Amino acid sequence: MKINEHPAQDPFQDPMIEDPILSRITLNLKQIMTDLRQLTRDNDVVAQILYGRALTLKEAADVWRCSDETVRKECKKVAAKRQPIGHKVANRWIVCRERLLDRIEQNEGPSARSIAERRINEMRLRSIAAAADRNPPTPAKR
């Protein structure tokens, strides 16, 4: 079939490519590239901070119930093994919440992870309440 004879019937085929298999592969690759770009944007350090998926060393230590120094050493240790739980930015560690929870589960089991998740939720609620106290709503003007 030539390109201009009639439009492709299959919505998963690229109408500009004659071979149906090649057409499907091309569209799948385009979708994969779109998904990868989104994944990259969602997993960068700024996105982690904005979406509450990043913790400071102190916050990570509070979640793990250990010292800041213990978390820092763990960050360095697992980074050397290419399994980072955080990123060092401007001489400060930013710890990925999910990776920290995974590490806690690996070291201490699923129940320890559940407890750590509860601590994170409590921390976030305290943070939201503190922000509300600092910025009380202003009365509507008439």
Side-chain angles (χ1 to χ4, degrees):
M1 170 171 66
K2 298 284 184 214
I3 293 175
N4 293 329
E5 282 183 20
H6 44 77
Q9 299 296 319
D10 188 340
F12 299 106
Q13 286 187 339
D14 187 330
M16 299 304 290
I17 300 175
E18 291 180 32
D19 183 342
I21 294 172
L22 188 57
S23 175
R24 283 176 182 259
I25 291 170
T26 301
L27 282 177
N28 285 339
L29 284 173
K30 287 178 184 177
Q31 184 60 50
I32 288 168
M33 292 304 294
T34 300
D35 293 346
L36 279 174
R37 279 191 294 277
Q38 183 61 42
L39 186 62
T40 302
R41 280 192 295 268
D42 288 347
N43 286 323
D44 71 4
V45 174
V46 174
Q48 287 184 19
I49 293 167
L50 291 174
Y51 299 129
R53 295 188 304 239
L55 305 168
T56 65
L57 274 182
K58 182 181 178 341
E59 290 169 334
D62 289 345
V63 168
W64 205 351
R65 295 285 191 213
C66 63
S67 69
D68 299 12
E69 185 64 18
T70 299
V71 176
R72 187 188 64 74
K73 286 179 182 176
E74 188 70 12
C75 284
K76 287 177 76 172
K77 180 175 95 177
V78 296
K81 294 180 181 179
R82 302 248 186 238
Q83 300 169 330
I85 60 172
H87 309 281
K88 195 169 187 180
V89 179
N91 290 326
R92 295 184 186 267
W93 283 97
I94 297 175
V95 180
C96 175
R97 180 185 71 198
E98 283 305 311
R99 291 181 183 190
L100 176 66
L101 292 170
D102 290 345
R103 192 77 182 156
I104 291 170
E105 184 173 5
Q106 287 171 359
N107 290 347
E108 301 170 29
S111 62
R113 180 191 178 108
S114 295
I115 292 167
E117 286 173 337
R118 273 188 251 126
R119 286 189 200 118
I120 288 173
N121 290 334
E122 290 167 2
M123 221 169 36
R124 291 184 77 202
L125 289 174
R126 284 192 304 269
S127 175
I128 291 168
D133 288 345
R134 285 190 306 270
N135 302 309
T138 54
K141 293 182 182 179
R142 292 185 190 199

